[in-house]
């Protein structure tokens, strides 16, 4: 018995913790309280109105009799008591009974008919009349009938309304609670590591559906970020392993004396510089992700930035056996001059690294875009999105220099400038067109 009570108590506590059902019960309780209050107020108002009308009716009856007697149109001897009216006339010569000479409205049990079949209530009105004092009484027993009918009507209507409100409230509350429970279950699954869980909210477009969709989007983003983080970690390990291995070999060679120690140390320093450059690029990615650099944005003459960079890199490109040209028009944007310069430098160095001799590069800067076109081997369309991930390298690029961070940094710089990085085919034919498009949307 104690176990059953404990189980019921635990079930009740669990149900009470369900927000939607608890709110339904509370709202139903509030509805019943409001309904009772409204019924009481309505009964009081109606009762007062009925009382006023009854008083007016009795007073008008008294006044009419007084007028008719004064005009000689009515004889007080013709007054007849009925079940609804009672008349008490006291001549001026009669004894001074104060109970029969009261002015205005009053009730007095002594003036009621001796034989009554019910517990009806009477109201009296007294006043002077020609030759004496007249008291007119009327049966206002309809008040008791009204109270009884109103109470029964209120009881039935109120009970029915409360039941309907509670049933529909629980129905809607249960439906909402079921949807909340589904969202909570998905969050529990995600917290336990199952990032494939989704709410797949259905039904009408309400707050719970929006919440379900947001939960699905959040879990999907976390899943993507975790995949990227795992890939990022694997790529870091892979890309650091090569220069660190070479560093070890150079140092071992310098120590064992199988060659010129100075050359070995110099080669080791080159590998150390490469490792440090990878770490610097990773740190810069983190800095760009924070968005803190956006606070230093100012108007930048993009044409001047592109022209300056072209003057710097044109001799380098030409010396490498490639051709370099520009398509620059006057344009000014709000941004960071250093980052925009680095964006173009990354694209040019990336093209220098992955295009063969004899290739052509065109630096483009206008109101719509900023980027570089080349006629090299390009990037397959299926790999362009992944090429923007940090430390991701195409299989054919594994043997070339670089750590796979240039395009990732370029993408971060574009995003920081509310622009969109785009890798597409060179519109002039073979090759790649890497650019940031200022109209991000």
């Amino acid at each position: 018995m104690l176990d059953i009570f404990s189980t019921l108590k635990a079930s009740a506590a669990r149900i009470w913790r369900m927000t939607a059902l608890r709110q339904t019960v509370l709202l139903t309780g509030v509805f019943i309280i409001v309904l009772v209050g409204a019924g009481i107020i309505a009964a009081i108002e109606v009762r007062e109105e009925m009382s006023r009308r009854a008083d007016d009716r009795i007073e008008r009856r008294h006044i009419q009799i007084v007028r008719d007697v004064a005009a000689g149109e009515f004889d007080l001897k013709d007054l007849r008591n009925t079940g609804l009216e009672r008349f008490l006339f006291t001549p001026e010569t009669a004894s001074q009974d104060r109970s029969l000479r009261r002015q205005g409205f009053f009730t007095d049990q002594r003036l009621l008919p001796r034989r009554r079949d019910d517990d009806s209530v009477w109201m009296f009105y007294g006043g002077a009349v020609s030759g004496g004092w007249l008291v007119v009484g009327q049966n206002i027993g309809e008040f008791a009938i009204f109270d009884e009918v109103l109470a029964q009507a209120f009881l039935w209507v109120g009970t029915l309304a409360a039941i309907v409100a509670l049933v529909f409230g629980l129905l809607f509350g249960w439906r909402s609670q079921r949807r909340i429970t589904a969202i909570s279950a998905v969050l529990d699954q995600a917290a336990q590591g199952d990032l494939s869980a989704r709410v797949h909210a259905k039904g009408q477009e309400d707050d719970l559906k929006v919440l379900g969709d947001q939960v699905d989007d959040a879990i999907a983003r976390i899943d993507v970020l975790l995949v990227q983080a795992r890939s990022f970690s694997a790529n870091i390990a892979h890309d650091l392993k090569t220069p660190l291995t070479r560093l070890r070999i150079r140092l071992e060679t310098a120590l064992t004396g199988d060659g010129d120690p100075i050359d070995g140390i110099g080669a080791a320093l080159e590998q150390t510089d490469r490792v440090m450059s990878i770490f610097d690029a990773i740190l810069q990615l983190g800095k760009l992700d924070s968005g803190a650099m956006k606070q230093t944005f100012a108007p930048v003459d993009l044409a001047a930035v592109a022209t300056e960079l072209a003057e710097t890199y044109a001799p380098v490109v030409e010396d490498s056996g490639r051709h370099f040209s520009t398509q620059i028009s006057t344009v000014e944007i709000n941004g960071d001059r250093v980052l925009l310069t680095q964006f173009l430098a990354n694209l040019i160095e990336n093209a220098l690294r992955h295009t063969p001799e004899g290739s052509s590069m065109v630096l483009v800067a206008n109101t719509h875009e900023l980027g570089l076109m080349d006629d090299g081997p390009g990037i397959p369309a299926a790999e362009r999105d992944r090429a923007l991930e940090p430390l991701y390298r195409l299989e054919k690029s594994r043997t070339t220099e670089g750590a796979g961070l240039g395009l990732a940094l370029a993408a971060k710089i574009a995003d920081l400038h509310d622009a969109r990085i785009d890798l597409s085919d060179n519109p002039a034919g073979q090759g790649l067109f890497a650019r940031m498009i200022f109209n991000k949307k």
Side-chain angles (χ1 to χ4, degrees), residues 133-310:
W133 198 268
L134 177 64
V135 174
V136 176
Q138 288 193 350
N139 188 337
I140 55 174
E142 68 267 24
F143 284 12
I145 298 173
F146 165 77
D147 291 342
E148 182 180 354
V149 172
L150 181 63
Q152 291 181 354
F154 177 75
L155 178 63
W156 285 106
V157 173
T159 302
L160 181 62
I163 291 174
V164 171
L166 184 60
V167 169
F168 279 94
L170 289 176
L171 177 62
F172 290 121
W174 174 75
R175 292 182 59 189
S176 298
Q177 188 62 51
R178 189 175 61 174
R179 299 168 68 187
I180 294 173
T181 302
I183 295 173
S184 177
V186 169
L187 289 174
D188 285 342
Q189 288 180 262
Q192 293 172 6
D194 181 8
L195 296 181
S196 64
R198 296 291 185 274
V199 178
H200 297 303
K202 299 178 181 177
Q204 59 182 4
E205 290 287 341
D206 56 9
D207 292 345
L208 289 179
K209 187 175 186 307
V210 172
L211 178 62
D213 293 340
Q214 289 175 338
V215 169
D216 285 349
D217 291 343
I219 294 176
R221 290 178 187 175
I222 292 173
D223 191 18
V224 171
L225 289 175
L226 284 179
V227 170
Q228 290 179 346
R230 294 191 193 101
S231 176
F232 189 65
S233 301
N235 289 335
I236 287 177
H238 182 274
D239 281 272
L240 288 180
K241 184 179 179 181
T242 300
L244 288 175
T245 301
R246 289 176 181 170
L247 175 61
R248 178 184 175 83
I249 293 173
R250 298 299 185 188
L251 291 175
E252 283 181 348
T253 302
L255 286 174
T256 56
D258 295 338
D260 188 350
I262 301 301
D263 292 341
I265 294 174
L269 288 174
E270 290 180 2
Q271 297 303 319
T272 304
D273 289 342
R274 186 182 177 197
V275 173
M276 292 179 65
S277 68
I278 292 175
F279 279 113
D280 287 342
I282 293 173
L283 289 174
Q284 190 169 10
L285 279 174
K287 192 174 180 180
L288 291 173
D289 277 335
S290 70
M293 299 185 69
K294 204 167 184 176
Q295 298 176 1
T296 63
F297 276 16
V300 177
D301 184 348
L302 205 56
V305 172
T307 301
E308 182 178 333
L309 201 74

Side-chain angles (χ1 to χ4, degrees), residues 108-155:
D108 192 333
Q109 295 294 326
R110 295 174 299 173
L111 303 182
L112 299 181
R114 293 181 179 179
R115 293 183 178 179
R116 291 179 297 150
D117 298 331
D118 51 33
D119 297 328
S120 58
V121 180
W122 287 72
M123 177 62 71
F124 295 94
Y125 182 84
V129 67
S130 178
W133 198 268
L134 177 64
V135 174
V136 176
Q138 288 193 350
N139 188 337
I140 55 174
E142 68 267 24
F143 284 12
I145 298 173
F146 165 77
D147 291 342
E148 182 180 354
V149 172
L150 181 63
Q152 291 181 354
F154 177 75
L155 178 63

